[in-house]
Amino acid sequence: HLDELMAAIGARLAELTKAEWGMVSSGCAAALTHATAACVAGGNPDLHVRIPNLSGFARDEVIIPRHSRNVYDAAVRAVGVRVVDVGTAEELEAAFGPRTAMVYILAGPNADSGPLSTKAICALARQRQVPVLVDAAAEILTVPNVHLENGATLVGYSGGKCLRGPQSAGLLLGRKDLVQAAWIHSAPHHGF
């Protein structure tokens, strides 16, 4: 059974990485898409089949700091979400609302300090119970995970970069319920 295999892999990745749970994906871009779907539809298969048409979804917005905008945020946008672009702490605070599904951050030097650092964004998001996804495709996977320790809910990695695995591989690590929901929004489950 694929579900049993995925559960065993999730548990093993949790053990190895000290994250709550893990999932193997087809590259980091796929991990970002699956994570976004999980934050939008929560693993609900009835909603899953409607993606990328998010009309009627309770949460269909993703906040992205300007310093995190990059070509790979297409993997987030592919789910059909509306991007709310922010450039200041004030804009970030004002961007949160009932439709906010998650915050997406690109890991790197721009995310380490200032009012829009990963720690600052995660603290604000946690107050509002909004998940934060860090795109760490080009980062070294640390144990314990630096991004999760900074408050991120989910973090994606590329298998073909610092992990030195196959180029077509990726990992999604983080909060167990969301990583498991991301699995529901991936193959072999029908839909998006």
Side-chain angles (χ1 to χ4, degrees):
H1 253 142
L2 282 175
D3 287 333
E4 291 171 359
L5 178 61
M6 186 59 194
I9 291 168
R12 181 67 174 140
L13 284 170
E15 181 184 325
L16 292 171
T17 66
K18 307 302 182 224
E20 278 187 34
W21 207 248
M23 175 185 132
V24 176
S25 62
S26 297
C28 187
L32 302 177
T33 300
H34 298 319
T36 304
C39 291
V40 166
N44 180 329
D46 293 330
L47 294 178
H48 169 75
V49 296
R50 294 175 43 204
I51 293 172
N53 177 4
L54 302 185
S55 62
F57 277 61
R59 297 167 302 173
D60 59 359
E61 295 178 352
V62 172
I63 298 170
I64 305 180
R66 276 187 206 110
H67 67 70
S68 288
R69 296 305 305 265
N70 68 91
V71 295
Y72 289 102
D73 68 41
V76 171
R77 291 182 283 113
V79 175
V81 297
R82 185 175 79 82
V83 170
V84 180
D85 195 72
V86 299
T88 66
E90 295 77 20
E91 289 175 355
L92 173 66
E93 191 152 356
F96 284 100
R99 302 196 72 84
T100 307
M102 72 174 207
V103 180
Y104 165 82
I105 302 170
L106 179 64
N110 292 332
D112 291 340
S113 62
L116 291 179
S117 69
T118 299
K119 279 185 181 180
I121 291 170
C122 290
L124 201 55
R126 191 176 316 108
Q127 291 172 4
R128 289 157 175 80
Q129 298 178 335
V130 172
V132 176
L133 168 63
V134 173
D135 176 349
E139 301 286 311
I140 294 171
L141 194 163
T142 59
V143 179
N145 189 279
V146 64
H147 305 294
L148 297 175
E149 285 196 327
N150 283 338
T153 317
L154 298 164
V155 58
Y157 289 94
S158 170
K161 293 184 178 79
C162 294
L163 291 179
R164 297 182 180 208
Q167 191 63 34
S168 60
L171 291 177
L172 179 64
L173 305 172
R175 200 172 86 195
K176 185 175 181 178
D177 66 317
L178 285 177
V179 177
Q180 288 179 332
W183 164 244
I184 298 301
H185 300 298
S186 65
H189 304 104
H190 298 289
F192 180 77

